[in-house]
Amino acid sequence: MTSAPRRPLPVARVTSAVVLALVASLVLGACGLVDREPAPAATPSATASPTPAFNSQFTRDGTFQSHVKVGTLDFVYTIWPTKSTPRTNEWYPLGDKYFSFTLQAYDLSRKLRDPFRTKRRVYLGQIQVSSATTTSSGDVENPYTLDADARRITFDPEPLASRYGMLITSPKGAFELRNQKIGPLAADTKGVTLTFKATVWIQRRAGSRRYVPELVTQEVPIAIFASKTPTEAQKIPINAN
């Protein structure tokens, strides 16, 4: 038995279905676009501290300490801003900026509380510090230099000493120099790098009369922030640090 031919759907019904499908597709697509819309970038805080263009632990932490290993000896340089200019984020090209530093040696082959006679003596002879600025123009200045017999300039007027220099083995000896000045710099200065060089004499073993020389070097980057305002230094006692 032959079935009757199927009649086509009315044109109006087909058109309505297509329109509904298109509308649904557009709505879903719009939702997808909304979901993928990136969040607006956060607005920087107006009170945020300026970020230095010169990487410096001294500036970031307000101090710098390094450990230079020579065998089982640990040479510790510590550099910090003095009370005259303590805020390192306010070290600007103009004006004077002040720092202090120490150098001490630790005999790691012995325990901290071991008798001092069992530790190797280390004597500091000559202490040298040079400097170089980093600027936008590429010009270089040398705002701070030092080259001296350590025992003649250390904070202690009567350091323990020998013909090799002054004793810096912890806990009996340490070299300390206070209130060192970095003067005005070029306006485009981004940073200053200090290079410390200490000529030391190391006892071969505890009780030995033989000493060997060593040069202990450390670089310390210091950031300088752009400003037309001079660094403001406070008056402090000559022996303050």
Side-chain angles (χ1 to χ4, degrees):
M1 182 181 209
T2 305
S3 60
R6 303 177 67 179
R7 290 183 298 173
L9 291 172
V11 174
R13 187 180 299 177
V14 173
T15 303
S16 299
V18 171
V19 170
L20 288 173
L22 287 173
V23 170
S25 175
L26 289 172
V27 170
L28 290 174
C31 291
L33 289 174
V34 171
D35 290 343
R36 290 191 293 272
E37 185 72 20
T43 303
S45 170
T47 59
S49 299
T51 301
F54 196 76
N55 187 23
S56 168
Q57 178 190 329
F58 175 90
T59 302
R60 183 179 63 252
D61 299 343
T63 187
F64 177 95
Q65 187 174 88
S66 68
H67 298 265
V68 181
K69 299 294 180 60
V70 178
T72 55
L73 284 169
D74 182 19
F75 290 88
V76 180
Y77 279 103
T78 305
I79 301 96
W80 66 96
T82 72
K83 294 178 180 177
S84 181
T85 52
R87 294 177 290 276
T88 53
N89 64 329
E90 295 179 6
W91 280 33
Y92 306 133
L94 297 178
D96 296 331
K97 300 151 279 286
Y98 294 88
F99 69 95
S100 298
F101 72 96
T102 63
L103 175 61
Q104 199 166 19
Y106 294 81
D107 187 352
L108 301 182
S109 67
R110 310 299 303 175
K111 293 181 179 179
L112 188 64
R113 302 293 295 177
D114 281 353
F116 190 72
R117 67 177 181 274
T118 66
K119 300 178 180 181
R120 285 169 291 168
R121 306 294 194 270
V122 179
Y123 291 93
L124 172 60
Q126 202 77 1
I127 181 72
Q128 298 171 304
V129 186
S130 60
S131 62
T133 58
T134 298
T135 62
S136 300
S137 63
D139 295 335
V140 178
E141 294 180 303
N142 309 106
Y144 177 84
T145 58
L146 176 69
D147 190 351
D149 182 339
R151 59 189 159 184
R152 296 187 183 277
I153 63 171
T154 188
F155 184 70
D156 184 351
E158 297 179 344
L160 297 174
S162 74
R163 63 191 181 95
Y164 295 109
M166 63 170 288
L167 184 69
I168 60 168
T169 303
S170 176
K172 299 296 184 181
F175 173 81
E176 181 177 358
L177 196 58
R178 297 184 178 185
N179 295 313
Q180 300 302 289
K181 182 176 73 174
I182 298 175
L185 307 168
D188 64 339
T189 301
K190 297 179 179 180
V192 178
T193 299
L194 301 178
T195 301
F196 295 79
K197 293 183 179 180
T199 302
V200 299
W201 291 83
I202 302 171
Q203 194 174 35
R204 293 292 298 268
R205 64 178 183 278
S208 172
R209 294 184 179 180
R210 295 187 60 188
Y211 287 80
V212 294
E214 187 74 38
L215 186 64
V216 182
T217 303
Q218 179 63 55
E219 287 190 350
V220 181
I222 299 173
I224 302 296
F225 293 84
S227 177
K228 294 182 180 179
T229 302
T231 306
E232 185 176 353
Q234 304 295 324
K235 290 185 178 180
I236 59 174
I238 188 66
N239 63 341
N241 62 2

